[in-house]
Amino acid sequence: MLAAVEARLIATFGEPSGRAAVTFLGADRIEVLRFGPDADGLVRYTTLGMSAAPMADPTSPVVDQVRGPRVELVLTVRGGRDGVLRSLATFAATPQVEGLVLAPGGSLDLGAPLWEGAPFTSVLAAEPGGLVEDLELAEPAEPVRFLPLLPMTPNEAGWKRVHGAAALQERWLDRGTDLRDPDRRGVTLD
């Protein structure tokens, strides 16, 4: 299945310009692929391996190895920041290690900069389908969805916890925020 996921990513972004792999205790191997920069200077980082098993509700007494949501993560950064590779692998391992089910509107917090000098410590998972089409799997497995990640400053993450993901995304849109800018400042939060 991971070969099909990688083929979907290559069909969308072209051949990877780099890759790294990380293994965490208690989790399967996670790869992070680097695509680009493209003609606009955008570099896309994608996880590969997070979708190998479905995410499971940690309160469920039985873990279904076939049914359940499967995702991979996609982060787009203008100019690229390869220091984000380990952060993405950490995010991708979180469902296995902590029993988290990540869905659009959810967030992941690293508690440290996403890369050295980054003003962001967490990410918001956006709706899939815009960058990479879902990858259908044989029934009864759910499709693999590719969730774009939107970097958040600590203040934005706190504001999102109070007001919700939709309100933060609307704030970004209203202010014309370039979420791919690795050096952007946090949006004004009134």
Side-chain angles (χ1 to χ4, degrees), residues 6 19-22 29-33 46-49 72 89 92:
E6 185 171 359
R19 67 190 316 138
V22 179
R29 173 186 164 109
I30 301 289
E31 287 191 76
V32 179
L33 307 181
T46 66
T47 61
L48 178 63
E72 295 291 352

Side-chain angles (χ1 to χ4, degrees), residues 11-83:
T12 303
F13 300 126
E15 287 295 323
S17 56
R19 67 190 316 138
V22 179
T23 304
F24 298 98
L25 184 63
D28 294 329
R29 173 186 164 109
I30 301 289
E31 287 191 76
V32 179
L33 307 181
R34 179 185 198 268
F35 295 92
D38 65 11
D40 296 322
L42 299 177
V43 176
R44 304 201 196 285
Y45 299 94
T46 66
T47 61
L48 178 63
M50 186 176 179
S51 63
M55 293 181 285
D57 180 350
T59 62
S60 176
V62 178
V63 175
D64 190 328
Q65 295 299 318
V66 178
R67 292 177 181 85
R70 296 173 187 261
V71 301
E72 295 291 352
L73 308 175
V74 181
L75 176 69
T76 303
V77 180
R78 181 169 284 105
R81 292 294 187 273
D82 288 351

Side-chain angles (χ1 to χ4, degrees), residues 79-165:
R81 292 294 187 273
D82 288 351
V84 78
L85 299 173
R86 185 160 184 80
S87 298
L88 280 178
T90 300
F91 289 151
T94 300
Q96 290 181 52
V97 175
E98 296 181 14
L100 172 78
V101 176
L102 182 62
S107 56
L108 296 165
D109 193 330
L110 195 60
L114 296 184
W115 58 84
E116 187 176 332
F120 318 108
T121 58
S122 59
V123 292
L124 173 66
E127 290 292 330
L131 284 174
V132 185
E133 258 184 65
D134 291 353
L135 177 65
E136 297 295 328
L137 301 176
E139 291 288 337
E142 293 183 27
V144 176
R145 301 170 81 196
F146 298 87
L147 300 179
L149 297 181
L150 309 175
M152 296 186 293
T153 65
N155 286 343
E156 290 169 338
W159 200 84
K160 179 246 177 204
R161 282 190 293 277
V162 173
H163 300 282

